[in-house]
Amino acid sequence: MMYKFKKCALCGAETDLELSHIVPKMVMRTLKKTAAGNIRNSENPNIPAQDSEKHYMLCGSCEDLFSEKETYYANTLFHPYIKKEKTKFDYDSKLFYFLTSLSWRSLYLDLIDFIENHVVGIDALEHLISCEKIMKDYLLNSRNDIEAIEHHIFFFDERREITGNTEMAELRPHVTFHRGIISYTFCFEDDGTYGTITNMMGIVLITLYKKGSREKWERTQILNGIGSIEAKDQLISSVVGNEFMNILKTTQSASNSISEKQMAKIVENLKNKADKIKDYPVFQNWLSDRELHNK
């Protein structure tokens, strides 16, 4: 379903709106460029995906405001990481702004569903509505911070072992996270942890609107200013691990539901590229998953 709002979701201007991608367009473009075959999504795996989720929700001015920070993210972190050029990334406040804009888009849209379909309890809903307003004011430069809301980036780098949940090792985590994109808001009301998770080909943004008492995050947080983050020695002890499992299980279920006709096309395509398959990123992901599973 594609939303087409009557006015800009950010500034409220009543004007023609532009198509806004929830996950940046350049991520989908990179995913398609480096793929060995067609891109498929979990909602309808039998139809090749041409683009990522997008909606008419921002005016041209707000889209331009976000676009500048998206370019900064692409050049500072995304492309250097995907190309394996760097593992440590220095950043400034433009990265924090970009991450806020990214999670705000998902939260704004998810709140529509939460309200219409009573997905979460009233306390969680009121808290999320408050956070959406805080983030919106920050994006419009009406405030300098987003209070207690936190942005964390977790690099789903090569996992040589997974402790605490051996089931994850059987669900092809390297292929799923490195060859996938997704963004949505989650609520663990019993634990008191709410957030938005966005996967961008293994760069996983988790914006925490509220943290439960058992949450533990090390070397993952992005500060609102100058800082650095490294794709190394990161530790998460969090209910967000359940969301990682949900993503993996949903992807596995979609893979299992691919029709015989589509599967035959996939196999034929891979046969035609057999002599070059080692050049595609998915091949190394597949090897990593096999090693993880064997352990």
Side-chain angles (χ1 to χ4, degrees):
M1 176 181 178
M2 182 185 293
Y3 287 104
K4 191 169 185 178
F5 298 98
K6 294 182 179 180
K7 59 182 181 180
C8 177
L10 186 65
C11 72
E14 295 184 3
T15 183
D16 291 336
L17 303 182
E18 298 187 7
L19 274 173
S20 300
H21 287 76
I22 304 308
V23 177
K25 186 177 181 179
M26 56 91 180
V27 179
M28 183 63 169
R29 188 164 55 242
T30 302
L31 186 64
K32 292 172 71 173
K33 184 179 179 180
T34 57
N38 290 322
I39 304 300
R40 299 172 186 273
N41 63 51
S42 57
E43 293 183 358
N44 196 340
N46 288 305
I47 300 178
Q50 299 301 318
D51 206 347
S52 58
E53 182 184 358
K54 55 188 178 181
H55 304 275
Y56 288 97
M57 64 182 298
L58 295 176
C59 66
S61 297
C62 289
E63 188 66 43
D64 290 342
L65 190 64
F66 287 1
S67 178
E68 177 191 349
K69 308 304 190 298
E70 181 179 313
T71 300
Y72 175 84
Y73 165 74
N75 295 334
T76 301
L77 198 152
F78 180 75
H79 289 308
Y81 176 76
I82 295 298
K83 294 176 181 178
K84 301 185 184 300
E85 295 173 347
K86 296 169 62 178
T87 58
K88 186 176 181 180
F89 310 91
D90 298 322
Y91 63 83
D92 61 29
S93 59
K94 290 190 286 293
L95 178 61
F96 191 88
Y97 186 98
F98 166 75
L99 299 180
T100 304
S101 73
L102 194 58
S103 291
W104 170 80
R105 276 175 276 198
S106 275
L107 177 59
Y108 184 91
L109 292 170
D110 288 333
L111 277 172
I112 296 174
D113 178 49
F114 289 0
I115 293 170
E116 291 180 351
N117 299 301
H118 309 287
V119 176
V120 299
I122 187 64
D123 290 342
L125 183 62
E126 288 180 349
H127 187 84
L128 292 175
I129 290 173
S130 173
C131 288
E132 187 274 329
K133 176 65 165 56
I134 290 170
M135 294 165 78
K136 179 184 289 185
D137 287 345
Y138 170 77
L139 293 171
L140 290 170
N141 297 313
S142 297
R143 59 180 302 148
N144 297 322
D145 59 54
I146 54 175
E147 294 190 3
I149 301 170
E150 297 178 359
H151 294 313
H152 296 264
I153 286 182
F154 178 69
F155 297 93
F156 199 95
D157 213 349
E158 186 171 356
R159 305 284 117 183
R160 298 195 179 277
E161 63 177 342
I162 294 177
T163 59
N165 193 338
T166 56
E167 185 183 3
M168 182 179 287
E170 302 174 1
L171 295 172
R172 303 186 305 167
H174 294 92
V175 170
T176 300
F177 280 96
H178 291 158
R179 306 306 305 163
I181 55 177
I182 193 171
S183 185
Y184 65 93
T185 302
F186 61 86
C187 279
F188 288 91
E189 295 179 72
D190 290 341
D191 291 274
T193 299
Y194 318 145
T196 293
I197 183 169
T198 303
N199 176 41
M200 296 171 282
M201 297 180 65
I203 301 173
V204 187
L205 163 65
I206 304 101
T207 296
L208 295 173
Y209 306 117
K210 186 178 179 184
K211 288 170 62 178
S213 59
R214 293 182 293 177
E215 294 291 309
K216 186 177 181 181
W217 298 73
E218 295 182 4
R219 295 175 289 278
T220 58
Q221 188 169 1
I222 300 296
L223 304 176
N224 187 8
I226 296 173
S228 65
I229 187 168
E230 191 171 4
K232 179 183 178 183
D233 299 328
Q234 293 184 301
L235 174 66
I236 297 178
S237 178
S238 169
V239 293
V240 173
N242 295 327
E243 291 307 316
F244 288 172
M245 282 299 299
N246 288 339
I247 292 171
L248 292 171
K249 288 180 177 180
T250 299
T251 303
Q252 182 65 47
S253 177
S255 179
N256 292 339
S257 66
I258 294 177
S259 68
E260 292 184 5
K261 181 179 179 181
Q262 289 298 316
M263 186 59 70
K265 289 183 178 180
I266 293 171
V267 171
E268 184 62 27
N269 174 60
L270 292 177
K271 285 181 178 179
N272 293 334
K273 295 178 178 177
D275 59 333
K276 298 180 180 179
I277 196 66
K278 291 183 179 181
D279 298 331
Y280 289 94
V282 71
F283 181 75
Q284 183 58 53
N285 296 151
W286 179 78
L287 289 179
S288 297
D289 281 334
R290 186 175 68 170
E291 180 181 352
L292 191 62
H293 181 268
N294 289 340
K295 284 186 177 181

